[in-house]
Amino acid sequence: MHILGVCNPSGEDNSYNGLYLTKSELQHICDSGEFKNVPVLTEHGGASCGTVVSAFLDNTGQLNAIMEIDETQAIGAIAAGFVRDGINQELSLGYSVDVTHSNENGSKQKTAGRKKIMEVSLVNQGARDKCYVLAYEDANSARTKFIERKDEVHSPVKSLCIDEDSLKNAVQSKDLKDWAVFGIA
């Protein structure tokens, strides 16, 4: 199964000093390819059920990823079933943050440093708003199942497809052939 989903909302301003990811950190994650091959888990635990194949920022700055779930393994088959059945259709990033502690002028200061993504999880309820599975496609099917949510006025999937030419150009420039799974490339 291939899954397309929003893993993180738009980034915080680059001057932000905290635990959330900034705009430049999200851009670096996509440009560097460090998100590729990150394990996919269920509910932040257990064995990996798949890996991240590619990532991109959509037109609102949200971190999107294409993940491949290995249904030949029991854990992957179960995770894919959870997605199909609507049980685990939200996403949550698991990452570490280097925090530096200092005392400046008598006050304790904390500075958020490098953030490293450890995993992305298929979850029942994510910690961040609007981080969820947008679409999935079974390995033996040519049909993509797009997931629409009742609370959405503007679908992220539709926003990805509004300007098809620019999206195709972005795909080609980054050589992300895997996006073809969703009919994007």
Side-chain angles (χ1 to χ4, degrees):
M1 169 184 276
H2 284 97
I3 296 173
L4 169 66
V6 176
C7 299
N8 199 82
S10 300
E12 304 296 323
D13 288 335
N14 292 330
S15 61
Y16 168 77
N17 176 33
L19 301 180
Y20 293 138
L21 294 161
T22 64
K23 292 174 183 171
S24 63
E25 288 169 329
L26 290 175
Q27 189 66 57
H28 174 74
I29 287 166
C30 294
D31 292 346
S32 69
E34 71 181 46
F35 201 18
K36 189 172 182 177
N37 296 320
V38 165
V40 177
L41 306 178
T42 55
E43 299 293 346
H44 296 291
S48 172
C49 62
T51 58
V52 173
V53 176
S54 63
F56 65 98
L57 297 180
D58 65 19
N59 59 359
T60 64
Q62 297 177 114
L63 177 63
N64 287 249
I66 295 177
M67 298 154 274
E68 185 170 39
I69 305 302
D70 182 4
E71 291 186 82
T72 64
Q73 303 293 319
I75 190 75
I78 292 167
F82 284 170
V83 171
R84 275 186 217 100
D85 295 341
I87 296 168
N88 283 10
Q89 288 189 343
E90 293 197 18
L91 296 169
S92 180
L93 281 181
Y95 58 94
S96 63
V97 181
D98 292 334
V99 178
T100 304
H101 301 270
S102 64
N103 282 323
E104 290 184 27
N105 301 328
S107 70
K108 295 180 181 181
Q109 300 289 322
K110 293 180 185 174
T111 305
R114 186 177 190 292
K115 298 168 182 124
K116 179 173 173 32
I117 296 178
M118 310 300 281
E119 50 90 10
V120 60
S121 280
L122 296 162
V123 296
N124 181 267
Q125 174 101 32
R128 306 288 307 270
D129 287 340
K130 298 186 180 183
C131 292
Y132 37 62
V133 174
L134 300 172
Y136 66 88
E137 190 171 275
D138 288 311
N140 58 353
S141 172
R143 286 198 49 197
T144 300
K145 167 78 171 149
F146 291 95
I147 301 168
E148 295 292 331
R149 290 178 171 69
K150 292 177 187 172
D151 63 328
E152 282 187 41
V153 175
H154 183 273
S155 168
V157 172
K158 290 177 185 168
S159 71
L160 285 174
C161 300
I162 285 173
D163 187 354
E164 226 173 287
D165 289 337
S166 67
L167 188 58
K168 284 181 182 179
N169 291 339
V171 170
Q172 290 166 355
S173 71
K174 298 205 181 260
D175 192 28
L176 298 173
K177 64 183 184 315
D178 303 302
W179 293 10
V181 170
F182 294 99
I184 296 173

